[in-house]
């Protein structure tokens, strides 16, 4: 899908019903926060997979590459060759590591475009041996998450295979399953240290070691190694630690959310007391109610689980969702919001903007609050925003 971009200076778009605003200043603030934490000797990999967690793959990569300190030491982490090649076509020069599996037929493209691959199986190594020229690759070690990676009993035969085949990995890495569980994570760190020591003893020196993602960086300074991989933290969220924050508050006060999602009021009407709203008659109003119809729904990524419980911001006030979130429309109660209206016959001037994610006045609704309401994580709330929605850098 094409990720469309509008460049500053920012003006409210008059021809859009919904759009995403990406705050470059907040993004750079978060980058600087992590650069300060890790110090000058540790590299930073920005994880921009999955459309940069909903923020826009190319827009985010360009904004990060424009940051002086990141451009000097920054890497990009993506899920697939599709994402990696898109970045190369857009002129991104930074090192790129594909974190997901790569189909054998695409491995030659990695070598041609200087893209590093993750290797976590013997079959992948055999494919690399048969590829000329061979691509750069990082070995993934499974220290306890039990997803990708070579298990500890595999390490000795793996080292023998690498030496016999003349293969030298650029990097070696693992992934922490639950950094909040200190004892389990320390076991993972010990396992990774034992593996990296075995690589050194086998003659594989000058190898890039990395283990920590956002939560690992914040909780385990001893596990920053040569590089860290920061994803959700770049976008203003700490990760699972956000569960501790209450309504309107955030646990990770040093990070700034980057994404704001806006829409407009499409239609307004007053319905009498006792009226039903939406599909399946799930909500019945107990008073005469002024409603507004928003041109967004679950196709856009606004979760159906928010039906009758979610809120949005209008003129600094909260408006509750009434009834079901539909595929392309959502209805809200605006009875207590004064002066709401399109005011211009729908031509786009002076429209009322609705904040689905973001700040309005003294209140804010961030992805972690929405996640708590529907029993998921900020990761899912953000990444499920439809990539066809226009991203605007502000």
């Amino acid at each position: 899908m094409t990720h469309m971009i509008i460049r500053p200076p920012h003006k409210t778009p008059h021809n859009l019903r919904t759009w995403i605003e990406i705050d470059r200043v907040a993004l750079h603030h978060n980058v600087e926060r992590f650069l300060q934490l890790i110090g000058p000797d540790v590299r930073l990999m920005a994880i921009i997979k999955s459309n940069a967690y909903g923020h826009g793959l190319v827009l985010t990569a360009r904004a990060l590459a424009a940051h002086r300190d990141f451009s000097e030491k920054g890497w990009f982490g993506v899920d697939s060759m599709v994402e990696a090649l898109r970045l190369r076509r857009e002129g991104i020069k930074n090192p790129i590591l594909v974190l997901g599996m790569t189909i054998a037929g695409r491995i030659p493209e990695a070598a041609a475009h200087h893209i590093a691959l993750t290797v976590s199986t013997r079959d992948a190594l055999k494919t690399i041996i048969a590829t000329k020229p061979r691509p750069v690759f990082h070995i993934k070690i499974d220290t306890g998450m039990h997803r990708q990676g070579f298990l500890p009993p595999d390490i000795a035969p793996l080292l023998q295979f690498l030496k016999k085949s003349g293969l030298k990995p650029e990097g070696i890495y693992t992934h922490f399953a639950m950094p909040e569980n200190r004892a389990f994570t320390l076991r993972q760190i010990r396992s990774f240290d034992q593996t990296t020591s075995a690589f050194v003893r086998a003659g594989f020196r000058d190898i890039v070691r990395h283990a920590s993602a956002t939560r690992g960086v914040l909780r385990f300074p001893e596990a920053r190694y040569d590089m860290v991989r920061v994803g959700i933290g770049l976008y203003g969220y700490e990760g699972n630690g956000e569960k501790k924050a209450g309504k309107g508050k955030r646990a990770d006060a040093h990070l700034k959310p980057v994404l704001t999602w806006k829409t407009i009021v499409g239609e307004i009407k007053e319905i009498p007391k006792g009226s039903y709203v939406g599909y399946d008659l799930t909500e019945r109003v107990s008073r005469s109610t002024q409603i507004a119809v928003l041109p967004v729904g679950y196709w856009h990524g606004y979760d159906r689980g928010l039906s009758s419980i979610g809120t949005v911001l209008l003129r600094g006030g909260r408006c509750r969702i009434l009834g079901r979130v539909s595929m392309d429309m959502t209805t809200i109660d605006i009875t207590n919001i004064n002066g709401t209206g399109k005011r211009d016959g729908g031509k786009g001037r002076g429209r009322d903007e609705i904040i689905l994610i973001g700040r309005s006045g003294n209140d804010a609704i961030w992805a972690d609050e929405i996640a708590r309401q529907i029993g998921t994580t900020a990761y899912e709330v953000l990444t499920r925003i439809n990539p066809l929605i226009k991203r605007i850098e502000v």
Side-chain angles (χ1 to χ4, degrees):
M1 296 182 177
T2 301
H3 310 291
M4 295 173 282
I5 301 171
I6 296 175
R7 293 298 181 191
H10 169 60
K11 295 180 180 179
T12 299
H14 293 161
N15 60 341
L16 299 176
R17 303 188 306 175
T18 186
W19 64 98
I20 302 292
E21 296 180 358
I22 302 299
D23 186 341
R24 179 188 279 219
V25 173
L27 181 64
H28 284 189
H29 165 86
N30 297 335
V31 169
E32 289 159 9
R33 167 74 173 147
F34 282 100
L35 288 173
Q36 290 168 0
L37 280 173
I38 64 178
D41 298 325
V42 179
R43 282 166 275 190
L44 173 64
M45 179 185 291
I47 305 302
I48 58 172
K49 65 179 182 177
S50 304
N51 199 30
Y53 292 37
H55 293 65
L57 176 71
V58 175
L59 185 156
T60 302
R62 286 175 173 166
L64 289 168
H67 189 285
R68 183 186 63 186
D69 294 334
F70 181 86
S71 66
E72 294 176 357
K73 64 187 300 187
W75 291 42
F76 288 117
V78 298
D79 173 63
S80 66
M81 282 294 297
V82 172
E83 293 174 332
L85 291 172
R86 175 70 191 282
L87 294 179
R88 288 291 186 245
R89 287 197 301 271
E90 296 292 339
I92 298 298
K93 306 294 185 183
N94 299 67
I96 298 173
L97 174 63
V98 174
L99 300 165
M101 65 87 64
T102 299
I103 296 171
R106 307 214 71 163
I107 287 179
E109 294 178 276
H113 295 278
H114 307 290
I115 295 165
L117 302 178
T118 290
V119 170
S120 57
T121 67
R122 184 74 68 92
D123 287 341
L125 286 172
K126 291 177 180 177
T127 304
I128 286 176
I129 291 171
T131 303
K132 299 293 187 292
R134 292 173 178 173
V136 171
F137 64 96
H138 291 216
I139 294 287
K140 183 72 174 287
I141 306 299
D142 185 349
T143 57
M145 187 162 178
H146 295 154
R147 201 171 58 176
Q148 283 177 309
F150 293 94
L151 290 162
D154 301 327
I155 301 306
L158 169 63
L159 290 169
Q160 292 175 2
F161 183 85
L162 290 172
K163 294 183 73 173
K164 182 178 178 180
S165 306
L167 293 175
K168 181 180 179 181
E170 177 186 52
I172 180 172
Y173 75 104
T174 193
H175 195 61
F176 297 145
M178 188 181 182
E180 290 79 14
N181 186 324
R182 184 167 182 83
F184 189 87
T185 305
L186 287 174
R187 288 199 297 271
Q188 286 194 267
I189 292 170
R190 285 195 296 271
S191 177
F192 187 61
D193 287 342
Q194 291 167 1
T195 299
T196 55
S197 295
F199 269 74
V200 171
R201 289 195 301 271
F204 295 101
R205 296 175 175 84
D206 300 322
I207 193 168
V208 180
R209 303 163 302 157
H210 47 113
S212 289
T214 295
R215 289 179 286 153
V217 174
L218 297 174
R219 290 164 173 77
F220 293 92
E222 68 271 33
R224 292 171 186 168
Y225 298 107
D226 304 306
M227 182 161 66
V228 297
R229 305 182 305 270
V230 180
I232 198 72
L234 288 178
Y235 310 111
Y237 298 86
E238 182 180 328
N240 284 0
E242 67 213 11
K243 292 178 181 176
K244 300 176 183 177
K247 179 179 177 181
K249 298 180 181 180
R250 311 188 63 248
D252 39 353
H254 296 294
L255 301 175
K256 296 182 178 180
V258 173
L259 179 149
T260 295
W261 185 3
K262 293 182 178 181
T263 187
I264 59 172
V265 172
E267 180 176 334
I268 293 173
K269 66 179 67 173
E270 188 163 331
I271 59 175
K273 176 181 178 180
S275 298
Y276 291 97
V277 179
Y279 281 120
D280 303 323
L281 308 181
T282 55
E283 180 129 10
R284 191 178 190 185
V285 296
S286 60
R287 61 178 179 176
S288 176
T289 302
Q290 191 172 36
I291 65 171
V293 182
L294 313 181
V296 294
Y298 56 78
W299 183 84
H300 300 85
Y302 197 68
D303 200 281
R304 190 171 181 269
L306 292 166
S307 300
S308 293
I309 63 170
T311 56
V312 300
L313 296 174
L314 171 60
R315 298 190 173 191
R318 292 208 173 210
C319 301
R320 190 173 67 84
I321 294 169
L322 296 175
R324 297 279 193 222
V325 173
S326 303
M327 187 179 296
D328 302 290
M329 285 180 272
T330 299
T331 302
I332 62 172
D333 182 348
I334 62 170
T335 307
N336 295 329
I337 305 296
N338 295 324
T340 304
K342 290 187 291 184
R343 305 197 307 280
D344 67 340
K347 296 178 182 178
R349 295 183 297 275
R351 299 177 303 178
D352 280 303
E353 293 183 354
I354 300 290
I355 306 295
L356 304 175
I357 299 176
R359 179 174 296 281
S360 178
N362 294 322
D363 201 358
I365 297 173
W366 299 116
D368 41 15
E369 177 182 334
I370 294 173
R372 289 192 296 273
Q373 289 180 301
I374 59 176
T376 186
T377 67
Y379 299 84
E380 184 176 4
V381 171
L382 294 168
T383 57
R384 290 184 64 188
I385 299 173
N386 194 312
L388 290 177
I389 298 175
K390 188 171 288 189
R391 271 69 174 166
I392 301 168
E393 188 177 300
V394 297

